[in-house]
Amino acid sequence: MSKNDSKKDNEFDNLSHEYDGIREYDYPAPNWWQIIFYVSIIWGIGYWVYYTLYDGETLRHRLDRELVTIQREKMKEASNGPSESDMSALLSNPAAIASGKEVFTGKCLSCHGDHGQGLIGPNLTDNFWIHGKGTLTDIYTVVDKGVADKGMPPWGPILSAAELKNVVAFVKSLQGTHPANPKAPQGEEIK
Amino acid sequence: MNEESIKEQYDDKVVKYFLVATIVWAGVALLLGIYAALELASYKFNLGLQWFTFGRIRPLHTNAAIFAFAGNTIFAGIYHSMQRLLKTRMWSDAVSWFHFWGWQLIIVSAAITLPLGFTQGKEYHELEWPIDIAIAVVWVAFGLNMIQTIRRRKEPHIYVAIWFYLATFVTVALLHIVNSIEIPVGYLKSYPVYAGVQDALVQWWYGHNAVAFFLTTPFLGLMYYYIPKAVNKPVYSYRLSVVHFWSLVFIYIWAGPHHLLNTALPEWAQTLGMVFSVMLWIPSWGGMINGLMTLRGAWDKVKADPVLKFLATATIFYGMATFEGPLMSIKSVSELAHYTDWVIAHVHGGALGWNGFLSFGMIYYLVPKLWKTNLYSKSLAETHFWLGTVGIVIYMLSMWTAGISQGMMLNAVDASGHLVYPDFVQTVTRIVPLYWVRAFGGVMYFIGYLLLVYNVIKTIKLAPKAAPAVAGSSNPVLNVSVGDLVKSSHGEGPHRVLEGMPIILTVLAVVAVLVGSVIEIVPMIAATDQSSVEYANFKVKPLTSLQLAGRDLYIREGCYLCHSQMIRTMVSDVLRYGPANEMADSRYDHPFQWGSKRTGPDLARVGGKYPDLWHFRHMLNPRDIVTQSIMPEYKWLLEQKLDLSSIERRMSALQGLGVPYTDLEVSGSVEDAKKEAAALAAAVEKDGGPQGMADKEITALVAYLQSLGKQTEKK
């Protein structure tokens, strides 16, 4: 920058240095900038002190509190779990079976095979059962709660109440179908 | 000596080399970025080849963008501007060239080792220990060259750009060295000395400040030089420079824990990270204000000049990213944003907008200057600018949308306490179209870059025959007394005097960054030393030798780039994945694998969720199990033999670091692993799975996956 340019256009143009032609004005930082800066520092200190040294709720406390509420909701739901007769009505309801089939294709097929013939999980079409005797409520319990450590996931937390009932009805409807390549029977035969 | 003859003595050759390297590596980094983007849009781009899978390409992309593209930009800009700001040639040509070639060699070695799967499994710190050492050596050579040049300067005072260069040098050295303390267990394999929560804290102290001191402070220095030069106007405010420089350097270093909000990191540290991030907003904007206000009254020039357009827009992107960052650091916002593509949008606003555009502006400014000619085509540069800008906007809009919608779906819990979208893959399917859009934005940005390449080549062809290079001549060290400095600072305050004492200024910068570092890291290391109360309530089983071998494969394949292992203290995380993780869960994890992105579900408690056979089939082809999955196939894990040759050395190194292996477990590690693998493989075979897997890599990996969440027991 040539020296001619440097005519003082205002009072802040008063610095004497020049670096490779670069000069500096000395305007004050904008007011809003300074105000937000001070506010953020005061807020920051206050926030940290409140949450670390005083009784700000910790993240773990908050989580526990929220989980308790949710647990309570779930208890309500569990207490009115479906009965055998509730679900047997679904067996003759084509819409329910169709919806159950959809759930099965989405969630169960990867382990039980496309026709329930068994793959990673057991064959669901034969009359051998590992858990219970193959009643609708027995199936409901396994599907709802899963079998931890055997690799059958619990579906209660994942499926809606209606989906759960429908897929149970669909599994029941598979009984006695004889798909190709069935997995060898597991569990006890129920006559 | 008159001005002209000083100018002729500058070493511009090395600047040209760095500039060309910048351009070359920019292309590599961008192409890799586009490729990684396509891999997420369609798994088919993984090609079923291990060297090209997402988990190995992604670190290559980030390293190329940060260390190759941005790194060479910084060096070109610093070597060019510093010589002029100090009226002094670089101290040593030999060191300059050592720096140049050393750095390029490091990049090449990264490009070879990362696709081969040699990685430390820590983001932006993937390169294995021999390369770490090389980085430290070359970096120190660069710093030495810089400081020696400054000592021989002809200007008594140093300009704000150089304060930023100095802070960059010392802080990056500190970060790199502390995060590189690791025990080698092979030529290209090491374990960090830190475990679990310590490693998490140190890594993100490093990771966040790599952004701060590699992608921010040096670029601010470049901004302070190139904007006033290109617009030919004085910088807006000297005192703003002073305030924002020191507040930035002091505050930035604390912000690392904002990468670990709602995790098992102790809350006092999370809260520190959050509040300092918020406080960081205004110091960052100090830089933006100074850059943009320097251009005030010159917007007609900005309109007419692509160089200024790039520089001004870069500064605006800097302002956007530094507003967004503090926002995302608020715990409740982080619940939504963390692990999602929102973070990806955020970094690319910074990387493509701030670093990329500043670099392009500098290139368009420097190439004609250094080759003593005019830019070949201004209108091509103009087109580049618009392609780039629209590319970034497309990129950011698509990733904001993807991140926020996936985050909201994953966090949604209905009134009855059920997840609204329990199926993870449902939320992935929703955003896959946006992955295509993002890739398109990236391609636009890349096409703009190609125009730059063409323009630069044409410009260089226009250049007159170069005059023979002038050999270096070194100045004597400048000796100025404090009295002289006071006099030559014309009563402009004590900081002016300090600007004549670069070594003291550097020391003060080190002190500024040490305060936050020590206050955060030292108590954490003390509190989680292996005998501490933090761990007293839990019994943690270390991994068996087979599981450990599997873990090393998990790291090799970069699974942590799509999967987290950290269930946060949030209802939706707990409903989806199980109880929130405790510090003890990763007590023996060298390195920690908490992850930073959930392209797939969290794996912290996946152990026992599925039968072994499920994992075999899933790894072979995820779509056999989950039809909509975008996870790559890992066929080679079922083909390659598991290498147990160094497992004993690995276990003994971990034993040395405090993992409670017995001597018998160490000496019997190979036998134990073989036995465990044989049993696992036999069971899978019996269930109708693939045969002959006992000595294959997959068996170790599955053993590791099944251990996740099973190692910790409450006492």
Side-chain angles (χ1 to χ4, degrees):
Chain A
M1 175 165 309
S2 74
K3 291 283 179 223
N4 303 344
D5 261 6
S6 68
K7 74 173 173 334
K8 290 191 177 169
D9 50 17
N10 60 59
E11 56 179 311
F12 299 113
D13 180 13
N14 58 3
L15 293 186
S16 52
H17 284 78
E18 186 176 320
Y19 306 91
D20 192 28
I22 300 176
R23 288 172 47 259
E24 294 165 296
Y25 288 129
D26 198 21
Y27 284 92
N31 279 334
W32 60 266
W33 185 88
Q34 299 189 36
I35 292 168
I36 301 179
F37 194 25
Y38 297 135
V39 169
S40 73
I41 291 173
I42 294 165
W43 168 84
I45 295 171
Y47 185 98
W48 190 82
V49 167
Y50 178 68
Y51 277 95
T52 308
L53 305 178
Y54 285 88
D55 42 4
E57 189 180 33
T58 66
L59 294 169
R60 294 211 178 239
H61 275 132
R62 187 196 60 174
L63 175 67
D64 290 342
R65 179 170 53 74
E66 290 173 354
L67 284 176
V68 167
T69 325
I70 283 181
Q71 218 48 50
R72 216 177 289 133
E73 287 298 323
K74 290 214 169 138
M75 297 282 267
K76 267 193 238 152
E77 223 173 73
S79 61
N80 46 33
S83 65
E84 191 77 21
S85 57
D86 255 0
M87 286 190 289
S88 61
L90 297 175
L91 284 173
S92 50
N93 176 347
I97 297 292
S99 134
K101 181 169 185 181
E102 202 176 301
V103 174
F104 190 89
T105 314
K107 301 275 182 325
C108 323
L109 166 154
S110 60
C111 289
H112 291 286
D114 47 356
H115 297 103
Q117 75 274 28
L119 192 67
I120 293 168
N123 184 339
L124 298 176
T125 65
D126 58 13
N127 53 349
F128 287 78
W129 293 95
I130 308 173
H131 300 278
K133 296 183 162 28
T135 65
L136 281 159
T137 38
D138 286 341
I139 300 177
Y140 183 90
T141 310
V142 187
V143 179
D144 182 29
K145 300 274 182 283
V147 189
D149 293 333
K150 287 280 159 53
M152 165 68 184
W155 296 98
I158 294 182
L159 299 175
S160 74
E163 283 174 326
L164 201 60
K165 282 190 275 185
N166 292 342
V167 76
V168 167
F170 176 72
V171 168
K172 183 77 181 170
S173 76
L174 293 174
Q175 278 293 300
T177 59
H178 292 279
N181 305 320
K183 196 172 174 190
Q186 288 166 275
E188 281 177 37
E189 186 169 13
I190 308 297
K191 301 238 168 77
Chain B
M1 208 185 295
N2 67 21
E3 289 270 324
E4 276 314 305
S5 62
I6 292 176
K7 266 189 201 156
E8 271 163 21
Q9 281 193 11
Y10 295 151
D11 180 6
D12 282 343
K13 188 165 168 205
V14 75
V15 179
K16 287 182 182 173
Y17 271 64
F18 273 123
L19 212 57
V20 171
T22 302
I23 297 174
V24 171
W25 292 122
V28 173
L30 293 175
L31 272 179
L32 285 164
I34 293 170
Y35 191 67
L38 290 172
E39 290 184 321
L40 292 181
S42 167
Y43 70 91
K44 290 186 182 137
F45 284 96
N46 289 287
L47 304 179
L49 294 172
Q50 47 188 321
W51 313 281
F52 296 107
T53 43
F54 181 79
R56 299 197 193 176
I57 288 294
R58 200 264 198 180
L60 191 58
H61 161 62
T62 53
N63 278 279
I66 300 171
F67 299 110
F69 175 28
N72 279 300
T73 301
I74 296 167
F75 300 139
I78 290 182
Y79 275 70
H80 173 257
S81 63
M82 200 166 63
Q83 300 186 74
R84 286 157 175 84
L85 288 168
L86 303 172
K87 291 210 176 69
T88 308
R89 187 185 171 92
M90 290 308 296
W91 169 60
S92 158
D93 285 12
V95 175
S96 299
W97 289 109
F98 173 76
H99 174 199
F100 177 81
W101 288 112
W103 197 257
Q104 312 313 317
L105 211 66
I106 286 165
I107 298 169
V108 171
S109 59
I112 295 169
T113 55
L114 290 174
L116 291 175
F118 297 107
T119 169
Q120 294 195 31
K122 293 171 64 156
E123 277 177 81
Y124 325 126
H125 202 269
E126 284 89 353
L127 301 175
E128 266 300 350
W129 66 270
I131 310 179
D132 268 354
I133 294 175
I135 293 174
V137 170
V138 173
W139 188 259
V140 168
F142 155 63
L144 183 73
N145 207 4
M146 182 156 83
I147 288 175
Q148 292 292 40
T149 310
I150 293 173
R151 290 182 62 213
R152 287 162 176 74
R153 69 193 182 281
K154 296 218 184 71
E155 288 281 358
H157 299 263
I158 57 173
Y159 176 59
V160 48
I162 294 178
W163 319 344
F164 277 107
Y165 301 160
L166 284 169
T168 299
F169 163 61
V170 289
T171 314
V172 170
L174 176 75
L175 294 165
H176 176 71
I177 290 168
V178 173
N179 199 34
S180 297
I181 304 181
E182 59 224 11
I183 308 285
V185 291
Y187 292 121
L188 285 170
K189 174 78 191 165
S190 62
Y191 294 127
V193 295
Y194 319 101
V197 67
Q198 300 172 348
D199 195 37
L201 185 72
V202 171
Q203 157 63 20
W204 284 113
W205 166 78
Y206 163 89
H208 178 71
N209 290 300
V211 175
F213 288 90
F214 206 88
L215 299 177
T216 305
T217 52
F219 281 83
L220 282 169
L222 300 181
M223 178 194 86
Y224 270 112
Y225 181 77
Y226 290 105
I227 285 192
K229 284 301 276 186
V231 73
N232 200 13
K233 288 187 64 170
V235 168
Y236 175 65
S237 170
Y238 164 69
R239 65 182 104 159
L240 187 58
S241 314
V242 175
V243 179
H244 107 93
F245 171 77
W246 287 106
S247 51
L248 200 73
V249 168
F250 177 76
I251 294 178
Y252 232 126
I253 205 88
W254 297 73
H258 71 208
H259 292 255
L260 301 167
L261 294 178
N262 306 300
T263 67
L265 183 75
E267 255 187 81
W268 63 265
Q270 294 188 34
T271 308
L272 270 186
M274 164 175 158
V275 298
F276 273 90
S277 305
V278 173
M279 289 183 216
L280 191 55
W281 167 32
I282 284 298
S284 303
W285 272 26
M288 172 189 73
I289 292 171
N290 236 351
L292 291 181
M293 291 300 276
T294 299
L295 296 169
R296 80 198 184 293
W299 292 106
D300 49 327
K301 278 198 200 170
V302 176
K303 251 193 219 156
D305 181 1
V307 170
L308 282 172
K309 259 201 198 113
F310 273 112
L311 297 178
T313 313
T315 311
I316 292 169
F317 275 114
Y318 174 63
M320 275 172 56
T322 53
F323 173 72
E324 192 185 23
L327 179 71
M328 296 166 81
S329 303
I330 296 171
K331 285 179 199 159
S332 52
V333 180
S334 172
E335 289 184 356
L336 174 67
H338 192 45
Y339 292 134
T340 74
D341 285 305
W342 185 355
V343 178
I344 315 299
H346 172 62
V347 290
H348 284 83
L352 298 174
W354 163 239
N355 302 117
F357 270 25
L358 202 93
S359 175
F360 297 147
M362 185 184 93
I363 292 170
Y364 283 123
Y365 174 82
L366 274 185
V367 167
K369 284 246 163 8
L370 290 176
W371 274 271
K372 302 194 169 56
T373 174
N374 290 323
L375 188 64
Y376 167 73
S377 162
K378 219 165 152 178
S379 67
L380 271 184
E382 192 83 12
T383 317
H384 174 190
F385 172 79
W386 286 110
L387 277 171
T389 305
V390 176
I392 301 175
V393 170
I394 292 178
Y395 190 114
M396 291 182 72
L397 285 178
S398 59
M399 287 301 95
W400 272 329
T401 317
I404 293 172
S405 35
Q406 192 181 24
M408 285 175 44
M409 288 172 86
L410 289 173
N411 289 0
V413 177
D414 66 18
S416 66
H418 285 284
L419 291 168
V420 180
Y421 302 93
D423 213 359
F424 188 92
V425 80
Q426 246 182 311
T427 70
V428 177
T429 323
R430 203 57 92 76
I431 60 174
V432 164
L434 292 164
Y435 284 161
W436 287 106
V437 176
R438 179 249 307 261
F440 176 73
V443 169
M444 279 186 74
Y445 192 89
F446 182 70
I447 295 174
Y449 157 82
L450 289 179
L451 298 182
L452 172 131
V453 174
Y454 179 74
N455 213 347
V456 165
I457 292 175
K458 285 296 212 185
T459 305
I460 292 177
K461 285 218 170 115
L462 286 179
K465 275 258 164 8
V470 182
S473 75
S474 213
N475 303 331
V477 173
L478 181 74
N479 266 320
V480 273
S481 68
V482 177
D484 289 345
L485 285 172
V486 171
K487 223 181 292 153
S488 62
S489 55
H490 303 286
E492 283 162 15
H495 200 274
R496 264 295 190 236
V497 180
L498 181 63
E499 288 157 29
M501 302 187 259
I503 303 295
I504 295 181
L505 187 136
T506 309
V507 171
L508 289 177
V510 172
V511 172
V513 296
L514 277 179
V515 174
S517 310
V518 169
I519 292 182
E520 282 182 355
I521 294 175
V522 171
M524 192 69 60
I525 304 253
T528 54
D529 120 303
Q530 301 294 13
S531 61
S532 72
V533 287
E534 305 287 347
Y535 291 147
N537 292 330
F538 298 91
K539 202 170 147 265
V540 187
K541 261 190 308 192
L543 297 177
T544 65
S545 52
L546 185 70
Q547 292 163 346
L548 179 67
R551 184 171 204 276
D552 286 339
L553 294 171
Y554 184 92
I555 291 170
R556 182 186 81 186
E557 297 303 342
C559 309
Y560 65 96
L561 296 165
C562 282
H563 291 289
S564 57
Q565 288 185 21
M566 175 45 63
I567 303 168
R568 293 174 295 170
T569 49
M570 290 162 53
V571 167
S572 52
D573 262 35
V574 171
L575 290 179
R576 193 179 293 280
Y577 305 116
N581 278 117
E582 305 280 351
M583 257 195 259
D585 292 326
S586 40
R587 176 171 181 177
Y588 299 130
D589 284 3
H590 299 263
F592 81 118
Q593 288 289 286
W594 295 4
S596 68
K597 177 70 175 56
R598 284 180 183 158
T599 301
D602 187 273
L603 299 180
R605 298 193 189 281
V606 84
K609 181 176 174 189
Y610 303 115
D612 294 340
L613 177 55
W614 188 96
H615 288 293
F616 275 76
R617 297 188 59 217
H618 185 251
M619 296 306 295
L620 181 62
N621 182 3
R623 278 146 297 280
D624 277 353
I625 306 263
V626 181
T627 39
Q628 316 269 33
S629 182
I630 61 169
M631 175 161 145
E633 296 159 11
Y634 289 93
K635 287 200 286 277
W636 57 91
L637 295 174
L638 286 84
E639 290 156 7
Q640 283 171 188
K641 274 219 161 90
L642 179 64
D643 177 10
L644 288 170
S645 60
S646 65
I647 194 72
E648 191 176 333
R649 186 153 17 127
R650 291 178 189 200
M651 289 197 48
S652 111
L654 290 175
Q655 189 189 34
L657 290 172
V659 181
Y661 288 125
T662 62
D663 292 342
L664 210 64
E665 282 171 321
V666 173
S667 60
S669 51
V670 175
E671 279 314 300
D672 289 352
K674 285 189 175 155
K675 233 186 280 164
E676 192 185 341
L680 201 162
V684 165
E685 215 168 289
K686 195 170 130 256
D687 282 350
Q691 311 218 326
M693 290 290 129
D695 61 348
K696 299 294 188 292
E697 292 182 334
I698 182 76
T699 308
L701 183 65
V702 172
Y704 170 61
L705 290 174
Q706 296 291 31
S707 80
L708 291 171
K710 297 285 178 198
Q711 304 302 102
T712 319
E713 237 177 82
K714 248 206 167 92
K715 270 190 196 152

